Amino acid sequence: MKTNSHIKSQSEAQSLRFNQIKKVAKVVAIIIGAIIGTLVWAFLRPIFRGVGWVISIISALAIIYWIMTL
């Protein structure tokens, strides 16, 4: 027959196992997030730079046009 101490130690073991799984899941989530963040940064950074240049050129042309029409 199982005693209360056996049930208590079994639930403690499950709790420890659950905590270990949570820690591993956090580490895996951080690693996956870092990889995805690096990939997004590597691909989107040049695109944003290009968009910035386009906006700057359009703004410069608009200012030149505005000055010429005064």
Side-chain angles (χ1 to χ4, degrees), residues 4 10 15 22 29 40 50:
N4 285 339
Q10 186 178 6
S15 177
K22 276 179 37 177
V40 167

Side-chain angles (χ1 to χ4, degrees), residues 6-61:
H6 174 73
I7 294 171
K8 188 176 183 181
S9 65
Q10 186 178 6
S11 67
E12 287 176 2
Q14 287 177 345
S15 177
L16 287 174
R17 210 172 306 132
F18 180 71
N19 287 338
Q20 288 174 342
I21 291 171
K22 276 179 37 177
K23 286 181 184 179
V24 170
K26 278 185 182 180
V27 170
V28 169
I30 290 171
I31 290 171
I32 290 172
I35 290 171
I36 291 172
T38 303
L39 290 175
V40 167
W41 174 74
F43 287 114
L44 291 183
R45 185 179 55 154
I47 293 171
F48 286 141
R49 281 188 179 168
V51 169
W53 277 104
V54 169
I55 291 171
S56 296
I57 291 170
I58 291 172
S59 298
L61 291 174

